[in-house]
Amino acid sequence: MPIGEFGGAPPLATEGSPALTTPMYWMYEMAHASLNPARAVTDAAKMLFQNPLNPWSQTEFGKSVAAGCELFERTTRRYGKPEWGLDSTEVNGVRTPIEVRSVWEKPFCRLLYFDRQLARPLRSPQPRVLIVAPMSGHYATLLRGTVEAFLPTHEVYITDWSDARMVPLSEGRFDLDDYVDYLIEMLHVLGGNVHVIAVCQPAVPVLAAVSVMEAEQDPYVPVSMTLMGGPIDTRRNPTAVNNLAAERGIDWFRNNVITKVPFPHPGVMRDVYPGFLQLNGFISMNLDRHVDAHKNLFANLVKGDGDLVDKHRDFYDEYLAVMDLTAEYYLQTVDLVFVKHALPKGEMTHRGVPVDPSKITRVALMTVEGEKDDISGLGQTEATHALCSSIPDHRRVHYVQMGVGHYGVFNGSRFRSEIVPRISDFMMSAASVKPSLAAAAE
């Protein structure tokens, strides 16, 4: 499956991306709506040729028609936000049900808690983990496997970012400063004694939020922060994504990929980087592999290979579900992170105040990178250690997972077997030697 670009930094437009004006999104909506009758016809045809009472359903021709109908429907539909599908986990050998509930909410994000309905209290409390999901086009459910891996041994919270087209214009803007404010407020709501994990893009705002909190001697700083495959310093080992942003500059993005949300969405007239254009960028990065995957879907539908069909459906139900990003957040991220390299240069500010990672003294630091990461190149996340110069050496760890790309840093078998245990050990070690505010001030 094409997963190299899955869950990366805020997606940049590709060479084939069209210039956008405000009517473009509206034309897209009208084109999508115009296909509704065709989708209805193909759905009916699919049901007809899959009906066991229809003798054609058992023929090569009938199966091919049904497969073609499904392929048409899947390639023309708009995919909604996927479900978490995490109903239970195993805690100390006991299958335990899970209730996913919101514990904090603002217009552009909810903080979700995976509440494990324990039959009996644990002998000792388990680490509380706030996973900061990427706000980069896909929904937080992209990290379903990440959450699932931590649930047996941790209390897990995750940021559930909102689709900008669903947020009314009356709710105001959302930019990188607001992102940092949201993270600080979440840490306050959690009341301390929590570990933060940033997956890819959030590495920059998480580092900024912790830096701001430390500078203000905030008592609710996290015990530790783990940054995974994040673009802290994209001057190191730059990837194609990094080079594209540097070559085009922020004005190109502002003039070519920003448009307004059309009616009838709640966020009508909000300036956004639209999900359908992001999806065009995602797919064009590995177009041949996507085409082959859908050819294989057709063949497997005709053969009746249910396992491979289900695998394809599960992947693309997630992959093709994208959300709009607010224009101000997207443009700031591209400009500050990929064009100006503001954080590693010491030029990043939050609400006009410099962001200084050297102020961090109480928070342990772990960075994780993938050997074959083609989104955040090797060394880009490790650069955090040079910026956080005041963290003692015994409270910092850097780990490179061999043999994995970007997606493998936060999901998959090696993530579960090799990365999660190391992060858990790091958290336990950080909690056991947590310095006090007074000691840090000295």
Side-chain angles (χ1 to χ4, degrees):
M1 287 296 180
I3 55 180
E5 72 275 27
F6 203 18
L12 308 176
T14 60
E15 293 294 337
S17 298
L20 284 185
T21 57
T22 296
M24 178 65 73
Y25 203 158
W26 298 67
M27 293 171 62
Y28 168 82
E29 287 294 325
M30 288 189 291
H32 185 267
S34 70
L35 289 172
N36 284 338
R39 279 194 293 272
V41 171
T42 55
D43 280 346
K46 176 185 172 183
M47 293 176 62
L48 175 64
F49 282 94
Q50 287 184 333
N51 190 325
L53 298 179
N54 181 355
W56 287 98
S57 66
Q58 304 303 318
T59 66
E60 186 82 8
F61 172 78
K63 292 177 181 178
S64 297
V65 171
C69 289
E70 175 163 343
L71 206 61
F72 175 82
E73 191 276 332
R74 292 190 64 83
T75 54
T76 59
R77 79 159 76 151
R78 167 172 278 160
Y79 288 76
K81 182 179 180 179
E83 297 294 331
W84 280 99
L86 298 176
D87 301 320
S88 65
T89 188
E90 190 171 287
V91 181
N92 292 339
V94 178
R95 181 54 55 177
T96 305
I98 295 172
E99 178 187 354
V100 184
R101 54 188 178 88
S102 174
V103 295
W104 175 91
E105 187 169 352
K106 277 199 165 182
F108 290 92
C109 188
R110 295 186 303 162
L111 179 59
L112 299 182
Y113 174 45
F114 294 83
D115 189 0
R116 301 171 301 174
Q117 308 292 301
L118 299 169
R120 62 179 67 88
L122 298 172
R123 293 181 179 178
S124 59
Q126 294 181 333
R128 301 166 71 220
V129 178
L130 168 58
I131 300 176
V132 184
M135 190 179 186
S136 57
H138 284 105
Y139 292 95
T141 50
L142 171 68
L143 302 188
R144 184 183 296 103
T146 315
V147 172
E148 187 175 22
F150 280 104
L151 275 173
T153 52
H154 301 75
E155 288 189 54
V156 180
Y157 300 80
I158 194 169
T159 57
D160 184 28
W161 301 105
S162 303
D163 185 343
R165 75 170 177 262
M166 304 304 292
V167 182
L169 195 59
S170 60
E171 296 291 354
R173 291 163 44 93
F174 183 85
D175 59 16
L176 201 52
D177 282 340
D178 295 311
Y179 195 127
V180 173
D181 288 339
Y182 271 37
L183 295 178
I184 294 173
E185 190 167 335
M186 290 179 207
L187 290 168
H188 283 193
V189 168
L190 294 176
N193 194 30
V194 66
H195 304 263
V196 173
I197 298 177
V199 179
C200 189
Q201 167 269 325
V204 172
V206 165
L207 182 57
V210 174
S211 299
V212 169
M213 295 176 76
E214 283 278 42
E216 297 176 352
Q217 297 190 341
D218 194 315
Y220 296 113
V221 291
V223 178
S224 73
M225 62 175 169
T226 301
L227 310 182
M228 306 175 66
I232 297 297
D233 188 349
T234 57
R235 297 172 300 178
R236 295 192 179 190
N237 194 18
T239 64
V241 174
N242 308 149
N243 292 332
L244 181 63
E247 291 168 4
R248 292 190 171 180
I250 193 61
D251 288 336
W252 186 93
F253 291 96
R254 182 180 293 108
N255 296 331
N256 288 273
V257 304
I258 302 302
T259 184
K260 293 186 182 296
V261 176
F263 180 82
H265 301 296
V268 58
M269 299 308 293
R270 178 180 294 282
D271 287 329
V272 297
Y273 179 25
F276 75 87
L277 185 60
Q278 297 172 58
L279 192 57
N280 175 71
F282 289 143
I283 291 176
S284 62
M285 290 175 69
N286 289 289
L287 181 59
D288 291 344
R289 294 166 68 184
H290 290 291
V291 171
D292 289 342
H294 283 77
K295 288 180 178 177
N296 292 335
L297 171 63
F298 180 88
N300 291 326
L301 284 168
V302 174
K303 289 190 300 182
D305 193 331
D307 289 341
L308 291 177
V309 168
D310 288 343
K311 186 177 180 180
H312 177 102
R313 288 170 177 162
D314 290 344
F315 178 85
Y316 278 97
D317 283 353
E318 191 83 53
Y319 185 85
L320 299 177
V322 291
M323 61 184 193
D324 294 357
L325 306 179
T326 63
E328 54 273 15
Y329 160 77
Y330 174 74
L331 292 174
Q332 279 186 356
T333 299
V334 172
D335 190 35
L336 295 178
V337 177
F338 296 97
V339 177
K340 293 181 177 177
H341 315 289
L343 183 57
K345 287 182 177 180
E347 299 171 357
M348 185 174 180
T349 62
H350 172 257
R351 305 294 181 196
V353 178
V355 172
D356 185 2
S358 69
K359 298 290 186 181
I360 301 175
T361 57
R362 291 172 288 160
V363 182
L365 170 65
M366 180 175 186
T367 53
V368 181
E369 295 182 327
E371 178 195 16
K372 300 179 179 179
D373 195 332
D374 59 351
I375 302 296
S376 296
L378 273 176
Q380 293 186 8
T381 313
E382 184 185 14
T384 312
H385 292 274
L387 301 178
C388 299
S389 56
S390 299
I391 299 177
D393 289 343
H394 69 276
R395 286 176 57 77
R396 61 169 78 233
V397 176
H398 177 64
Y399 176 68
V400 176
Q401 178 60 56
M402 306 304 290
V404 303
H406 187 74
Y407 188 70
V409 171
F410 59 89
N411 214 333
S413 59
R414 291 190 179 180
F415 169 74
R416 292 189 298 270
S417 64
E418 300 184 44
I419 297 178
V420 171
R422 285 180 168 85
I423 295 176
S424 296
D425 289 345
F426 163 72
M427 290 177 181
M428 297 297 290
S429 175
S432 66
V433 293
K434 181 172 64 174
S436 65
L437 180 60
E442 293 175 0

